[in-house]
Amino acid sequence: AQSVTQLDSQVPVFEEAPVELRCNYSSSVSVYLFWYVQYPNQGLQLLLKYLSGSTLVKGINGFEAEFNKSQTSFHLRKPSVHISDTAEYFCAVTRPDSWGKLQFGAGTQVVVTP
Amino acid sequence: KAGVTQTPRYLIKTRGQQVTLSCSPISGHRSVSWYQQTPGQGLQFLFEYFSETQRNKGNFPGRFSGRQFSNSRSEMNVSTLELGDSALYLCASSSWDAFTDTQYFGPGTRLTVL
């Protein structure tokens, strides 16, 4: 079985400052990793995913994440946030043989203030 | 292309009733997954259907069931509703291949059980 831990429940950040959201996972087999964003009263939108290959993954809206197998981490970063980045962010994992079954972390609420 | 649609968007039921939620996937997608989102438990996987067959199942009681039709539209049913079933129910659709596609989420159905 695998599990996902998001280390921060809430991250306050000033506009134009960088932000890092931390995600650790555990699994006895190889997994795929994802970051999703959820804006109020909306569904989830994929920011980026890691399946294999380069450990630095670039996504939409200026986000990127780095897969670190030795530390079992998949942290999300953005060098300069906007007010519109205020949302909840979810890290998720799935096994290649159960692609349609995502396991999510508890989420990190990002609040961007001017 | 049109996104994932879920109907209805909001629903109010009373304890003991049953409810059916509908999900129309993106055209061409054959996989539909369902998730329950609550403040206490977060995002939890319910089940996944692929080509009308249940491919994966989460840890929910038998009161939660689903099905998929030949046009890939999916329904989930909850019988004998409990207060704890109040949640946002999200469905996601994807093609079968993680390397060429991802899971696209609908806006959700907000179920309130009184």
Side-chain angles (χ1 to χ4, degrees):
Chain A
Q2 62 266 9
S3 66
V4 183
T5 302
Q6 290 185 243
L7 299 164
D8 306 292
S9 60
Q10 188 166 26
V11 173
V13 59
F14 288 110
E15 193 175 17
E16 298 183 6
V19 70
E20 178 180 79
L21 308 184
R22 298 180 293 168
C23 172
N24 285 95
Y25 71 95
S26 68
S27 177
S28 56
V29 299
S30 295
V31 293
Y32 296 153
L33 293 155
F34 307 81
W35 275 100
Y36 281 87
V37 61
Q38 185 176 35
Y39 299 102
N41 300 315
Q42 294 187 29
L44 301 172
Q45 180 183 13
L46 180 72
L47 287 174
L48 46 79
K49 62 183 178 182
Y50 174 79
L51 304 181
S52 66
S54 173
T55 58
L56 183 62
V57 181
K58 293 192 182 296
I60 63 171
N61 301 341
F63 285 94
E64 64 179 33
E66 185 153 19
F67 170 64
N68 188 319
K69 188 174 182 179
S70 63
Q71 297 188 5
T72 61
S73 68
F74 190 55
H75 300 335
L76 180 72
R77 302 183 183 95
K78 185 170 182 177
S80 176
V81 296
H82 303 292
I83 296 290
S84 59
D85 291 320
T86 295
E88 189 150 24
Y89 293 78
F90 293 93
C91 181
V93 63
T94 189
R95 290 171 39 162
D97 61 351
S98 56
W99 156 238
K101 179 180 179 179
L102 289 171
Q103 183 163 355
F104 287 89
T108 298
Q109 180 67 46
V110 172
V111 180
V112 182
T113 53
Chain B
K1 52 187 175 181
V4 178
T5 57
Q6 292 187 246
T7 57
R9 289 293 311 277
Y10 300 91
L11 206 48
I12 300 175
K13 292 287 188 179
T14 56
R15 278 182 300 173
Q17 288 187 309
Q18 74 165 18
V19 68
T20 299
L21 311 181
S22 180
C23 173
S24 293
I26 291 172
S27 178
H29 284 185
R30 294 161 61 190
S31 167
V32 174
S33 298
W34 288 89
Y35 297 86
Q36 182 197 64
Q37 185 176 24
T38 61
Q41 299 299 316
L43 279 155
Q44 293 185 286
F45 172 79
L46 281 156
F47 29 66
E48 182 213 359
Y49 286 86
F50 180 82
S51 293
E52 302 180 65
T53 301
Q54 188 178 86
R55 187 159 69 171
N56 287 292
K57 188 178 187 305
N59 297 322
F60 278 80
R63 300 186 296 107
F64 291 82
S65 63
R67 59 178 175 169
Q68 187 180 34
F69 302 95
S70 58
N71 62 357
S72 294
R73 188 178 70 85
S74 177
E75 289 181 345
M76 68 162 282
N77 184 274
V78 188
S79 63
T80 319
L81 284 166
E82 301 177 359
L83 294 179
D85 297 332
S86 293
L88 181 67
Y89 290 88
L90 295 163
C91 84
S93 76
S94 69
S95 67
W96 65 275
D97 186 351
F99 283 85
T100 62
D101 204 353
T102 186
Q103 287 201 30
Y104 295 88
F105 282 79
T109 293
R110 173 78 61 185
L111 171 65
T112 302
V113 181
L114 302 176

